[in-house]
Amino acid sequence: MSAAGAEVILGTWVPALGIFEKSMSMGKFDKSRALPDGSLMDFAKVYPMDAVFDTPDDVPEDVKTNKRYAGNEGYTVSEVADKVKADFGTIDILVHSLANGPEVAKPLLETSRKGYLAALSASSYSYVSMLQRFGPLMTPGGAAISLTYLASERVIPGYGGGMSSAKAALESDTQTLAWEAGRKWGVRVNTISAGPLGSRAAKAIGFIDDMINYSMSNAPLGEKDLKAEEVGNTAAFLCSPLASAVTGTCVYVDNGLHIMGLAKDSASLPQH
């Protein structure tokens, strides 16, 4: 989208903001920021943001006094939306690319209520909250997009802590939000179900390399790596006028892995 001329603004999780800004200044993201013309993608503005808090009243005292939040104010969803309105007036595109499951390594049967609800709060309700606050700033014909995962509808052992439920909620909410935001603001709402990628976030799950190998062994397009650019290209399409009649959809960008019902490399199958 930046390569097409979009002005990009970013909300970054407050405890990671300092590390993000330092890494940017040191050029650690330059390879990811490279644009086709050789220039580097830049951000018009970076805001501190914590999408599990809707308003200042929602922020508990232990967070307010936490040293990782020191020096940052106005990081709730409603406050960031107010800042964006003051700084830019309107926006055309809203990208929800965040998730957190504090107990993601635990099987669902071992997940606590607190961990389960935390996963839904950060990974799915945050999309609702963001659209509530940013929707009024969006131009008619604008688009909102999020990222989901196949665990919403298929069992992925190891993807626990309520994260599979959070992704299922995200996909269901995408349809309802498409109806409501479409009628209220003329905004389209979609989500992308991306296949396994070796991103920093995915590495936190602990078995992403195994999932990449599984995909390459079993996906219809298994002879190729899935690239982040392919997910980005789909997002750019969904947010562009080319997709002006597309809303409420989940688009799979996974080399076709989602259609498979049998693992070709299963040890129980005779090898031919």
Side-chain angles (χ1 to χ4, degrees), residues 1-236:
M1 286 183 274
S2 182
E7 190 175 37
V8 180
I9 57 180
L10 178 69
T12 298
W13 187 47
V14 183
L17 180 61
I19 297 173
F20 173 81
E21 291 179 331
K22 184 177 181 179
S23 297
M24 278 277 290
S25 65
M26 295 174 64
K28 291 187 176 181
F29 301 144
D30 285 0
K31 184 177 180 181
S32 300
R33 295 168 57 206
L35 297 175
D37 65 0
S39 64
L40 295 179
M41 183 189 77
D42 207 353
F43 298 104
K45 194 154 189 177
V46 178
Y47 298 94
M49 183 174 180
D50 194 326
V52 302
F53 305 122
D54 301 322
T55 69
D57 291 340
D58 297 326
V59 184
E61 192 62 32
D62 64 323
V63 171
K64 292 178 182 179
T65 58
N66 190 306
K67 64 180 182 180
R68 297 194 301 170
Y69 285 75
N72 291 290
E73 296 180 347
Y75 47 76
T76 67
V77 178
S78 61
E79 292 173 296
V80 176
D82 288 342
K83 290 179 181 179
V84 170
K85 182 178 181 180
D87 294 338
F88 297 93
T90 62
I91 60 174
D92 303 299
I93 297 166
L94 179 67
V95 178
H96 175 277
S97 181
L98 65 101
N100 183 47
E103 299 180 16
V104 67
K106 291 184 179 181
L108 191 56
L109 283 174
E110 298 175 14
T111 299
S112 68
R113 182 185 296 270
K114 182 179 180 180
Y116 184 95
L117 294 177
L120 266 74
S121 173
S123 309
S124 53
Y125 184 77
S126 56
Y127 195 28
V128 178
S129 178
M130 287 175 63
L131 201 49
Q132 284 177 355
R133 274 81 182 186
F134 286 94
L137 310 184
M138 298 184 72
T139 55
I145 196 163
S146 66
L147 289 172
T148 185
Y149 181 49
L150 189 62
S152 64
E153 56 186 286
R154 300 285 188 271
V155 178
I156 308 292
Y159 193 76
M163 281 303 301
S164 57
S165 306
K167 292 302 185 182
L170 183 69
E171 292 179 22
S172 178
D173 290 344
T174 294
Q175 297 181 9
T176 303
L177 291 171
W179 158 253
E180 295 182 3
R183 288 303 179 105
K184 193 167 188 176
W185 302 305
V187 169
R188 297 178 294 106
V189 184
N190 294 291
T191 189
I192 293 174
S193 183
L197 284 164
S199 65
R200 290 179 178 87
K203 289 183 185 299
I205 300 172
F207 60 96
I208 187 61
D209 291 335
D210 293 336
M211 292 303 299
I212 292 173
N213 291 335
Y214 178 87
S215 178
M216 293 190 70
S217 296
N218 294 287
L221 300 178
E223 298 302 317
K224 59 181 286 296
D225 288 328
L226 178 65
K227 293 179 170 43
E229 290 83 353
E230 294 173 308
V231 179
N233 289 342
T234 303

